[in-house]
Amino acid sequence: MKSGKISALVLLLALTTHPIFSQEGETPAKENKGKISSAGAVYSEYLGLENFNFWKKMAPSGRGEFLELSFDIVNKTDVNIPLKMYIVGFHETDEKIESLHRKYNEYPVWRTYDMDAEKKKIVFFHSIPEIAAGDVSAWKGKEVPEEQKTSRWRKPVYESFIDYVNYIEQNPDAGIEIPLQGMENTETKNLQSDVYNVVSKSQKTTVWANLYSRRAATQRFFNHVGIILYDTEEKKVIFRQFYTINDKMKIR
């Protein structure tokens, strides 16, 4: 097992590569569900994620769309594993800090390309349980500028992907409690809310969930989704997997 906290350098290097990581028994997304890739992963010999599927669905209100998910958490041991879970979805752009200027003024031939001028930016974020953008900013010690609070164009300011991952892993108790049963004295357990449904049986827990993307002028939808599982007895993250949605998804 690996340490729960990610270093910025390691994760950024992982996110700049494109190979697909998969674990034994994992089912990739199929037709109309987008291609998936993963980075910054943590796996455990004690459990696995199987039958992972996701699809897009219109919200009944017509004001947004859902990214719906389903997957199985499989217990590879005979004993109960008490877990807390986060499901995270966000849209991250590849915008460059100098993009507007460099659109009309290219780098001079004597200057090499400035990798530091690139910046990935989260433009919207949703999670289960929900994490307020201000909570992560406060955790980093940042204050929202006064003009942003009063501006008619005010929008949430999202921190970096790494900040969200580290925030979650330092605040695991806020996650959803997920029973993962072993072999003895098992029973069917069902946990429900408006955004998830969890059914736990012997050695397997099945999760259905949905993340909401409010309709906006940019017409953007989630392009990253991830699952983080925290072992409350071991007090560490024992599973972390993020997927990049590369293709446009059709509504089911």
Side-chain angles (χ1 to χ4, degrees):
M1 300 183 199
K2 302 178 183 177
S3 170
K5 186 169 181 179
I6 313 173
S7 71
L9 177 60
V10 171
L11 185 56
L12 283 173
L13 288 173
L15 288 173
T16 57
T17 60
H18 301 287
I20 296 176
F21 298 82
S22 63
Q23 66 184 97
E24 184 178 355
E26 184 178 351
T27 303
K30 298 181 180 178
E31 56 180 353
N32 299 336
K33 297 176 185 177
K35 294 180 180 178
I36 60 174
S37 62
S38 59
V42 171
Y43 297 122
S44 170
E45 62 182 304
Y46 303 122
L47 60 80
L49 194 76
E50 297 182 359
N51 303 317
F52 181 82
N53 287 294
F54 54 92
W55 57 94
K56 188 177 184 180
K57 187 175 181 180
M58 183 70 71
S61 66
R63 297 179 180 177
E65 296 158 334
F66 290 119
L67 176 63
E68 299 204 332
L69 314 157
S70 67
F71 54 90
D72 297 325
I73 306 170
V74 178
N75 193 342
K76 297 180 180 179
T77 75
D78 295 335
V79 300
N80 296 342
I81 302 177
L83 301 171
K84 290 288 185 80
M85 178 182 72
Y86 276 92
I87 300 176
V88 173
F90 57 95
H91 184 100
E92 185 179 58
T93 68
D94 289 324
E95 295 174 357
K96 298 178 177 61
I97 295 174
E98 298 179 320
S99 58
L100 293 177
H101 175 68
R102 291 302 172 192
K103 182 177 180 180
Y104 303 103
N105 300 277
E106 296 182 357
Y107 279 98
V109 294
W110 52 264
R111 182 179 174 186
T112 58
Y113 181 69
D114 187 359
M115 292 295 291
D116 291 333
E118 287 194 354
K119 183 178 182 181
K120 291 183 178 294
K121 180 181 179 182
I122 293 178
V123 293
F124 72 81
F125 179 99
H126 190 221
S127 65
I128 303 172
E130 193 164 357
I131 301 171
D135 291 345
V136 182
S137 296
W139 172 75
K140 287 191 66 179
K142 294 174 62 176
E143 294 185 7
V144 179
E146 196 62 34
E147 59 270 19
Q148 185 179 331
K149 296 178 183 178
T150 57
S151 170
R152 63 178 294 190
W153 307 111
R154 60 185 178 273
K155 295 180 181 179
V157 175
Y158 298 101
E159 305 301 330
S160 71
F161 166 64
I162 295 169
D163 291 326
Y164 274 92
V165 172
N166 287 334
Y167 173 84
I168 288 170
E169 295 186 3
Q170 292 187 30
N171 296 274
D173 289 337
I176 301 166
E177 188 171 347
I178 299 292
L180 184 58
Q181 301 181 76
M183 290 290 291
E184 297 184 3
N185 303 318
T186 62
E187 58 181 318
T188 299
K189 298 180 179 180
N190 189 204
L191 306 173
Q192 286 184 308
S193 79
D194 292 339
V195 294
Y196 64 83
N197 183 20
V198 178
V199 177
S200 175
K201 298 181 179 180
S202 176
Q203 291 193 297
K204 184 172 76 172
T205 296
T206 301
V207 178
W208 295 269
N210 63 71
L211 298 169
Y212 181 65
S213 171
R214 186 172 181 176
R215 190 176 296 278
T218 56
Q219 295 295 309
R220 287 168 171 156
F221 191 62
F222 297 103
N223 60 10
H224 295 276
V225 62
I227 295 101
I228 298 174
L229 300 175
Y230 178 85
D231 187 324
T232 60
E233 285 188 354
E234 295 287 334
K235 299 191 181 304
K236 67 169 80 172
V237 170
I238 62 172
F239 183 91
R240 178 178 61 237
Q241 182 76 72
F242 282 87
Y243 303 86
T244 300
I245 304 171
N246 296 318
D247 290 347
K248 290 184 178 180
M249 300 173 65
K250 295 181 179 179
I251 295 177
R252 282 179 52 172

